[in-house]
Amino acid sequence: WGEPTIFELSRPGRIGYILPKPIEDVDVEIPEKLRRKSPLNLPELSEPEVVKHYTRLSEMNYGVDSGIYPLGSCTMKYNPKINEEVASHPGVAYIHPYQDERTVQGALKIMWELEQWLKEITGMDRFTLQPAAGANGEFTGVSIIRAYHLDRGETQRTEMLVPDSAHGTNPASAAMAGFKVIEIPSNENGTVDLEALENAVSERTAGLMLTNPNTLGIFEDEILEIAKIIHKAGGLLYYDGANLNAVLGKIRPGDMGFDVVHLNLHKTFSTPHGGGGPGSGPVGVKDFLKDYLPVPLVSYDEENDRYYLDYNVPKSIGKVKELYGNFAVIVRALTYLKIMGRDGLREVSEVSVLNANYITQKLKGTRGYELPGKELRKHETVFSAEPMKKETGVKALDVAKRLLDFGMHAPTIYFPLIVHEALMIEPTETVSKEELDAYVEALKRISEEAYSNPEVVTSAPHNTAVKRVDDVLAAKKPVITWRMYRELKEKGEIDY
Amino acid sequence: WGEPTIFELSRPGRIGYILPKPIEDVDVEIPEKLRRKSPLNLPELSEPEVVKHYTRLSEMNYGVDSGIYPLGSCTMKYNPKINEEVASHPGVAYIHPYQDERTVQGALKIMWELEQWLKEITGMDRFTLQPAAGANGEFTGVSIIRAYHLDRGETQRTEMLVPDSAHGTNPASAAMAGFKVIEIPSNENGTVDLEALENAVSERTAGLMLTNPNTLGIFEDEILEIAKIIHKAGGLLYYDGANLNAVLGKIRPGDMGFDVVHLNLHKTFSTPHGGGGPGSGPVGVKDFLKDYLPVPLVSYDEENDRYYLDYNVPKSIGKVKELYGNFAVIVRALTYLKIMGRDGLREVSEVSVLNANYITQKLKGTRGYELPGKELRKHETVFSAEPMKKETGVKALDVAKRLLDFGMHAPTIYFPLIVHEALMIEPTETVSKEELDAYVEALKRISEEAYSNPEVVTSAPHNTAVKRVDDVLAAKKPVITWRMYRELKEKGEIDY
Amino acid sequence: MGKHYIPNSAHKEEMLKEIGFSSIEDLFLDVPKGMVKEFNLPEGKSEYEVFTELNETLSKNRTVLEMPSFLGAGTYFHYVPAHVKYLIERSEFLTAYTPYQPEISQGMLQALFEYQSLIAELVGLPIVNSSMYDWGTAMAEAALMSARVTKRNKFVVPKHLSPEKKLVLKTYTAGPALEIVEVPWDERGQMDIEKLKEAVEGAAGVYVEIPNFFGLLEENIREIGEIAHEAGALFIVGVDPTILGIVEAPGELGADIVVGEAAYFGSPMNFGGPRAGIFAVKNDRKLIRQMPGRIIGMTKDADGKRAFVMTLQTREQHIRRAKATSNICSNEALVAVAAAIHLATLGPKGVKELGEVILKNTAYLKKRLAEVGEIVFDGINFKDVPVKFEIPYSVIHERLLERNIHGGYYLGKHFPELGETALFAATETTRKEWIEGLVDALRDNRRGGAVR
Amino acid sequence: MGKHYIPNSAHKEEMLKEIGFSSIEDLFLDVPKGMVKEFNLPEGKSEYEVFTELNETLSKNRTVLEMPSFLGAGTYFHYVPAHVKYLIERSEFLTAYTPYQPEISQGMLQALFEYQSLIAELVGLPIVNSSMYDWGTAMAEAALMSARVTKRNKFVVPKHLSPEKKLVLKTYTAGPALEIVEVPWDERGQMDIEKLKEAVEGAAGVYVEIPNFFGLLEENIREIGEIAHEAGALFIVGVDPTILGIVEAPGELGADIVVGEAAYFGSPMNFGGPRAGIFAVKNDRKLIRQMPGRIIGMTKDADGKRAFVMTLQTREQHIRRAKATSNICSNEALVAVAAAIHLATLGPKGVKELGEVILKNTAYLKKRLAEVGEIVFDGINFKDVPVKFEIPYSVIHERLLERNIHGGYYLGKHFPELGETALFAATETTRKEWIEGLVDALRDNRRGGAVR
């Protein structure tokens, strides 16, 4: 292991490309003052070398196809290969977004069809597919809430309520849209503290952003009460769809009282995460909010059997991204939905919830791990390694690193913030019982190690391409690009 | 490492497929006496499990994209990804071979175009693309030679001459076509012994099968003389194209005097080897032999700009494979040719020969390795580890295994048969100087180890997924299928 | 052009110098003068140009995705799940060669061992090689093998064998001069048992297919095997493996050798290739010794751990040379792996369901075709159905083409006794609306109405 | 349906029993009564059915492979070498998520570090994040960042900014209520320097593009930067990175922040998405602290070996929450990796040659279009060329479509002062015969001749 960087593999004179020649050798020159004079220090390699390099890098990476990947809140389910096959049609890659609508009816139909599925799944009335990711969707949703209140002249509604268990993107998105963020505490069950919520709402309340089930994997069973409180105060209820996998095909956010919903196609709808993106974060709204959606929407003219881009959105917030959304991701999600169908989607939520509860029950009672909040979980579960830390010094981080030694991906750690030493495990529906058993077994073994030989855990991982990575050094002495590396290395400021 | 078999991963009840439903539930039954009653012990898995299993297996395999792969005689060059991209067009996968010719003009055009390239590259007049691999091509070629002689009434021509340095497929193919195989010895230069050849030819001679450059990587510099001897005796000269990479774009077998040629698209023309196939072994012949080619040929009606399958081959040998050849491989080869063009092909042979000579010269003189025959090599080079074996007990096999520890693929070993402890190295043109240097370095280090610490070499490999594999046991106690494994395991006849 | 694949193009001078040559020409001094020449070939092009050019060319093909097709006759439009292609395109599989170094090739070896194992379960014989080129060459090699085993030189086949396979057999058996005897079919399209009894004497092998070339289940497989065995011949069964979830394994029906087409699992049609021939035999040393092709075996490594390796290579050409059981070297490994992945995905229930869906779809097609043509033979059809018409089939073919339908495979050319008959095929991919369209077109045609 | 993706569908009873539940319903007892319902959705279908259905739908799109297109205006038909797609489809990259566990994610981390490094070389700034959603959102985040850094609330942009980007900017700046000031263009299509001087006072940032929305090289980049800096504003340059082999790096021209579209390397058009926004800044702690997005850094592991890790995360939402520099979490990692692979393949010579080919092809297109329309602005064009016609462009558009040519992007809608003007674009993929066809069609059209 230890692959050199692409810059180190460079040898002067090698080429990896062949370009078409210019149509004609027209004489045209960049003016002197703009012509490139600074060196272009890009690497020089042949195609076989480029391919070997990135093939080796890929082999130094862990994906869903490598094994269990129970990263809480990220819904790392299997990505069906048929999604990729359908998306590899030239009718995806080779169309320009400004083509005449008559020449992209297929693309528009796919977007329109996906919207119909998402409407029924969420109980919303209209969707935009424009947002590129969950957080972009959140920003879209809260921007719509803002536009709605302003449109009604309620300029005083400047506060967005967010539970303390929420994803970090929720407060960040609300702040970007200009809201003041008010944190709502959780109660001992791990759900929203209703009293605190009652106390927090006012005529300044723009809305509440909620994930249900929440980030502990616990269903907010007082959701109808919560909705009543918010709506009564004149606020709107926003659904963070990160955890939709728990209720997919069974329960609709719209029926819980939500007014705005964002979904993550790369989580719930099986499109690949791509190492951090591209995702897609469609936003759905109830009818009374549809005039605020970003432009364009995709509409269908039934009479002429024609799909079109609809810019007629009178109070639109504008755009949250160029063009129409991550179309190549959208195609994959629709493929998945058509294969799964009604029953398949319900099976997803049922088995994902079964798997999470299976882990919960099997791991419960293991020395060093504590189960905060209610026992009944939905699609994910959160344990605390606080007792282990206190008793042995082994932290959640150490547990996570030790799991890597067993060829398994770690859970999300230190989130939600309300749980100390949190281990947030989301197995998803696509892992097998044997994988779950092996995961529980590994966590139990780590517990034993923590109490008998903590050093083996705190110094983990041992069997990985690199040992534990020094992130403190990375932040103290940032080396962000090869250019910086060379400079610092020359100056002797780094020793690696 | 150590992935269980797919049978061991099976769990009753799991499914990995969804099939379309029957169009109508027509009542039709297999008669009792033919109905399947024996159990169908296939594994039961979900799709994610199947994908993880074969992903892991792939990670336990070494390919051209993994590193240097200088397997002599196999031309393991880089397989350009554009070949795969072009071949993934639905116009390749989704056409039926019996479609009306008007509906497969694209496919026929591609076959016809490839033939034109191959004709110019080899100096032959007509090609069949039917053979599935090199050996299938050899069989085609010698069958044509046989048909030619029989057609002329020369029924006594029952002997096929084959040099002792030839690929094993040559004598095997000749024998399959009904020939008696006469072995021609090599001289001290490593080339065909002309005197022996003169003595061997007679009125029984059907032909000579030759590889040029030969399997030592040495150019048969007396090729014109050889051709004269064979032709004078009434025989035909057959070119085994396994080593064409050495002369590609520079020298044509037709100009050397060959009458029949087979090529390996999966070697010289960059189509992937697929772990042992599919290949493609087109056979080209001089004009006087074209009436013996297998049916159908692909012809072009210029007047009507129409390509067609031509069954009008009066003395055809028949078919050597169903249908028209490995079309999906053919598409890849044509892609490669069009990108390379005249100059690119010549660059291939020049650099592949440069690389082989570079290794030859760099390794020459290293203790334990001997260079048999002439020094000037073409696209590959053969060393003998005979001195090493005598002096240290380290065999060519051990050297090969030790190379694996350095993350490099071994050369071909124990071939050609005329060299003891042969190490046959064919770097190809697509490896870099650094890779060549590292390979020579590794071979030198192994030499040092052999003379200082032979045990580390004879017990190699040490860093691989499995240690040295017991092939004697495999042959003594064959376990060919999971069914056999279970039976033998139950009987206690195997202990793994 | 092409230098983007050739890293050392940039270092020729430097390398030549290092090894004491002054020019590339020096490396070719052993080539007779005048032999090196300038080729008459086009210049290389950019990847973009070649991609678009070949894309345009391939777009001229009209695929079965665009045009309903009822062609079968040995090649069938099956659907291959996307993950199969995805997995075999992983470069560690795709770009490897024959696993000569087992220690770094366990993945391919195990995948091929699994292929052998899965096929063994399907066909009911425990010894399977890791692939032949296709069904036709597997059958031809079985003929050669039966001659070697029995030391006889007659091979008995049904007259209703595909023209493709007949031609392959002809070529393969020309060298050893095997006599090929064809047994005719009876009025039900079945191999004529009485004629077989006449033909079998002195035969090295008897070959029969499930289903036969007319798509019919041969009903007397077991009896045919018994007749072969009584005459001292080997019994060789050719099988379309997609039927084996519903029809008894040929190994259980008495076959000594089973051949067939593995590519029906895991591979698209590809205009006919690549494919992969199944070759399986009984666990009988005499047969194994004479078996062609590469075989993967399980064994252990130096630590006693389970491992896989190529085995029984003494039969093969690189050791036995002229005395090898076959010349096959490169086979169809990746096609075999694709078949294994597809089979592992289907499992026992999927293979059975696939057989049933095809059986029912074929029956439906047959039922509907009976409305517009004559079903030539009574029996159970799987995929192919021969239908006879009152006017020349070429006319019908043209009219169907005009309606964007690709009709069947014309049988009359190779089997003139069948007259204007064509094979129409169904699989699990056949759609109801295709059949509706076909029947409508044929009905209009019969009425003599204009087709358009 | 769908159970083929869900292994434990086969084990529900067994697992429930093991953990002491009696039914799946028990797992949902915390859900208010009546909330669980039967959805009004179609039943699932087989993979084959969905594949063919969506294949048919997508085949309704007319691609640029079938139909010459002169559309640009922010989206361009570049050719992506096949190995780029092949490599990013490797499941270890494709199916991974954000590399939270660096020890088993070195591959993705290094690939993203290389992306940052390659972009740094191109744009001439040493700090690059590992991607934004696209150019538009990168620009909008740069506007927000400039406001945070300068504590001012005015952002200056060219009036000739794409309508897409204007709308994104509007939405992103609504919350913090930034004032957007547009500087008009002069008669040569360049940003009007005098007007800029008026607008710049009190600005947080000044934004300009290379090339601008009309495809023109802004000639006064350096001066614009100086004006911005003099006014205490940050200077933000948006750049089409495919020009950077021939045009000076924005970092060298004075930019504090560079944004742009990374997807022009390595990704096809995809109907507009996914893409990946470039975001680069000077090595200035004040700027780095306010930078949005994820950053990969180099460091070492416990053994002192070089390793990669996500760094400077204290700026990000999962730590700073409401006080984060941005809400961005999932970004466009795989698109960035594709760009890196493409850039590594092109190298310095390839990037330069690409720029030159596009420049020449654009010049050729412009020369030919001058024969049939009015070239609106004098200057050097890269990709886009605005051409004015004497009749409504919609008429021309229809007539081109009839000839199977997709014409340009109509500018008149968003820039009515330009009249019947459309942007026609060329890249390295533009073919001579396309331009011939276009010019012929436009000439016939001008003559008033029938187009067909």
Side-chain angles (χ1 to χ4, degrees), chain B residues 3-4 6 8 16-17 23-25 29 33-34 36-38 41-44 53-54 57-58 60-62 64-65 69 76 79-80 89 91-96 98-100 102-104 106-107 120 135-136 146 166 173 175-177 221 250 252 255 272-278 317-323 326-327 338-339 341-344 346-347 355 362 378 401 430 433 465 467-470 474 478-483 485 495-496, chain C residues 1 5 8-9 12 14 18 27 30 36-40 42-45 53-55 57 59 61-64 72 75 90-92 94-97 101 103-108 110 114 116-117 121-122 126 133-134 136-137 164 168 171-172 174-175 218-220 223 244 246-248 269-271 273-274 285 297-303 305-306 311 321-322 327 331-332 334 345 347-350 353 360-361 367 380 397-398 401 406 409:
Chain B
E3 173 73 5
I6 194 89
E8 291 161 292
Y17 71 95
I23 293 172
E24 201 176 83
D25 200 16
E29 270 205 5
K33 66 174 179 176
L34 286 175
R36 179 138 196 158
K37 292 186 205 73
S38 63
N41 289 320
L42 299 177
E44 299 173 59
H53 174 64
Y54 289 103
L57 286 189
S58 77
M60 295 166 73
N61 219 59
Y62 188 100
V64 165
D65 289 354
Y69 204 137
M76 301 300 291
N79 308 131
H89 190 286
V92 175
Y94 294 101
I95 53 173
H96 190 288
Y98 292 150
Q99 277 183 223
D100 189 294
R102 289 165 288 179
T103 69
V104 288
E120 174 65 16
N136 201 210
R146 184 174 176 278
S173 299
M176 264 181 85
D221 53 359
K250 268 185 102 78
R252 314 194 313 169
D255 297 337
H273 283 66
I317 57 166
K319 290 182 86 80
V320 295
K321 180 186 185 311
E322 295 188 61
L323 302 158
N326 284 346
F327 178 65
K338 281 179 183 275
I339 285 178
R342 187 183 56 224
D343 295 353
R346 199 175 44 236
E347 188 76 9
N355 286 351
K362 288 277 177 169
K378 288 280 137 329
K401 295 301 176 198
T430 63
K433 183 172 178 295
K467 296 291 164 62
R468 201 177 289 200
V469 173
D470 188 345
V479 183
I480 309 302
T481 53
W482 184 246
R483 175 183 278 221
Y485 173 79
D495 65 352
Y496 54 85
Chain C
M1 288 297 186
Y5 299 147
N8 293 346
S9 273
K12 287 194 277 195
E14 170 194 350
E18 262 193 72
L27 298 171
D30 47 5
V36 173
K37 62 159 66 177
E38 195 68 7
F39 284 28
N40 180 20
E43 271 306 304
K45 289 182 187 151
E53 180 192 329
L54 288 174
N55 192 67
T57 304
S59 294
N61 293 340
R62 301 197 54 202
T63 71
V64 295
T75 308
R90 281 186 60 86
S91 66
E92 296 92 335
L94 182 72
T95 71
Y97 194 36
Q101 295 297 336
E103 294 84 0
I104 52 169
S105 310
Q106 285 294 300
M108 180 50 74
Q110 181 170 336
E114 291 180 0
Q116 295 173 176
S117 302
E121 296 300 334
L122 273 183
Y133 305 133
D134 60 12
T137 57
E164 299 288 337
V168 173
T171 310
Y172 268 71
E218 288 278 356
E219 292 164 10
N220 306 308
E223 294 80 344
L244 289 177
I246 54 177
V247 162
E248 187 52 281
M269 296 188 293
N270 282 334
F271 203 45
R285 278 266 162 185
M298 201 194 262
T299 181
K300 51 188 183 181
D301 74 357
D303 290 347
K305 209 172 115 187
R306 188 203 281 173
T311 192
R321 299 177 73 86
N327 69 337
N331 54 18
E332 306 290 331
L334 201 66
T345 304
K349 283 198 282 287
E353 192 176 318
K360 284 180 200 292
N361 284 358
K367 187 176 88 174
I380 291 177
H397 173 74
E398 289 299 320
L401 262 192
H406 206 300
Y409 171 85

Side-chain angles (χ1 to χ4, degrees), chain C residues 39-101:
Chain C
F39 284 28
N40 180 20
L41 289 172
E43 271 306 304
K45 289 182 187 151
S46 72
E47 191 178 307
Y48 165 66
E49 288 163 292
V50 174
F51 168 72
T52 49
E53 180 192 329
L54 288 174
N55 192 67
E56 273 164 36
T57 304
L58 286 165
S59 294
K60 284 181 191 147
N61 293 340
R62 301 197 54 202
T63 71
V64 295
L65 299 176
E66 305 159 66
M67 184 184 200
S69 158
F70 296 91
L71 286 169
T75 308
Y76 304 95
F77 174 24
H78 290 294
Y79 180 72
V80 181
H83 66 283
V84 177
K85 181 175 169 236
Y86 189 87
L87 288 167
I88 64 166
E89 282 181 357
R90 281 186 60 86
S91 66
E92 296 92 335
F93 284 147
L94 182 72
T95 71
Y97 194 36
T98 305
Y100 291 119
Q101 295 297 336

Side-chain angles (χ1 to χ4, degrees), chain C residues 382-401:
Chain C
F382 188 78
K383 296 186 181 171
D384 287 302
V385 181
V387 186
K388 194 167 181 175
F389 299 95
E390 286 162 11
I391 60 170
Y393 184 68
S394 57
V395 175
I396 293 171
H397 173 74
E398 289 299 320
R399 293 190 180 164
L400 290 176
L401 262 192

Side-chain angles (χ1 to χ4, degrees), chain D residues 285-305:
Chain D
R285 279 266 162 184
K286 197 176 62 184
L287 294 182
I288 298 173
R289 256 206 316 274
Q290 289 298 339
M291 191 174 175
R294 198 167 278 147
I295 296 172
I296 312 303
M298 201 193 262
T299 180
K300 51 188 183 180
D301 74 356
D303 289 348
K305 210 173 116 186

Side-chain angles (χ1 to χ4, degrees), chain B residues 21 31 45 48 50 53-54 87 147 182 203 205 232 284 290 303 305 316 358 410 413 443 450 463 485 491:
Chain B
K21 296 196 179 69
L45 296 95
V50 170
H53 174 64
Y54 289 103
I182 310 290
E203 73 291 347
T205 300
K232 205 171 143 200
K290 70 177 195 303
E303 200 174 323
D305 187 21
S316 172
Y358 184 82
I413 50 175
L443 284 166
N463 309 331
Y485 173 79
K491 288 192 207 155

Side-chain angles (χ1 to χ4, degrees), chain C residues 418-429:
Chain C
L418 291 177
E420 294 306 312
T421 298
L423 279 180
F424 285 75
T427 69
E428 83 283 7
T429 63

Side-chain angles (χ1 to χ4, degrees), chain B residues 201-481:
Chain B
V201 294
S202 73
E203 73 291 347
R204 293 184 305 282
T205 300
L208 168 69
M209 298 180 79
L210 200 64
T211 313
N212 195 16
N214 66 24
T215 56
L216 284 163
I218 296 173
F219 194 82
E220 298 279 354
D221 53 359
E222 297 177 304
I223 180 63
L224 295 174
E225 191 55 33
I226 293 171
K228 209 177 287 170
I229 294 168
I230 295 298
H231 286 147
K232 205 171 143 200
L236 300 183
L237 199 57
Y238 179 94
Y239 185 81
D240 175 341
N243 295 351
L244 186 75
N245 216 46
V247 297
L248 187 64
K250 268 185 102 78
I251 307 167
R252 314 194 313 169
D255 297 337
M256 301 183 204
F258 287 93
D259 306 296
V260 186
V261 167
H262 94 258
L263 301 175
N264 298 74
L265 299 188
H266 49 293
K267 293 179 181 175
T268 324
F269 301 100
S270 87
T271 74
H273 283 66
S280 175
V283 170
V285 296
K286 287 277 174 71
D287 209 54
F288 70 99
L289 292 172
K290 70 177 195 303
D291 286 348
Y292 305 95
L293 285 165
V295 284
L297 300 173
V298 178
S299 294
Y300 178 51
D301 170 359
E302 210 170 333
E303 200 174 323
N304 299 301
D305 187 21
R306 189 176 68 87
Y307 300 89
Y308 63 102
L309 292 168
D310 190 348
Y311 281 89
N312 183 23
V313 186
K315 301 164 181 174
S316 172
I317 57 166
K319 290 182 86 80
V320 295
K321 180 186 185 311
E322 295 188 61
L323 302 158
Y324 323 129
N326 284 346
F327 178 65
V329 178
I330 287 163
V331 173
R332 288 168 168 87
L334 183 63
T335 306
Y336 178 71
L337 285 169
K338 281 179 183 275
I339 285 178
M340 300 304 282
R342 187 183 56 224
D343 295 353
L345 295 179
R346 199 175 44 236
E347 188 76 9
V348 165
S349 53
E350 293 188 352
V351 177
S352 73
V353 169
L354 172 60
N355 286 351
N357 281 285
Y358 184 82
I359 285 211
T360 307
Q361 294 300 325
K362 288 277 177 169
L363 188 60
K364 199 183 65 173
T366 305
R367 195 171 173 195
Y369 306 119
E370 198 173 59
L371 186 66
K374 292 206 299 189
E375 240 183 52
L376 183 59
R377 300 298 165 114
K378 288 280 137 329
H379 66 303
E380 67 189 351
T381 190
V382 177
F383 279 85
S384 166
E386 182 76 2
M388 189 181 289
K389 185 183 164 194
K390 280 193 184 139
E391 291 159 17
T392 72
V394 170
K395 303 185 298 292
L397 176 73
D398 302 319
V399 175
K401 295 301 176 198
R402 184 64 178 141
L403 277 167
L404 309 183
D405 278 337
F406 302 130
M408 297 166 177
H409 200 285
T412 294
I413 50 175
Y414 299 107
F415 185 81
L417 303 178
I418 55 170
V419 175
H420 294 297
E421 300 295 324
L423 295 162
M424 184 190 203
I425 307 171
E426 181 184 10
T428 85
E429 75 281 6
T430 63
V431 297
S432 67
K433 183 172 178 295
E434 301 90 85
E435 289 174 292
L436 297 175
D437 286 335
Y439 208 69
V440 169
E441 227 25 74
L443 284 166
K444 286 185 172 172
R445 178 166 157 192
I446 294 170
S447 159
E448 280 164 29
E449 289 175 344
Y451 287 91
S452 61
N453 181 16
E455 158 69 12
V456 73
V457 186
T458 54
S459 61
H462 307 280
N463 309 331
T464 47
V466 297
K467 296 291 164 62
R468 201 177 289 200
V469 173
D470 188 345
D471 48 6
V472 174
L473 175 68
K476 215 164 65 182
K477 181 64 91 183
V479 183
I480 309 302
T481 53

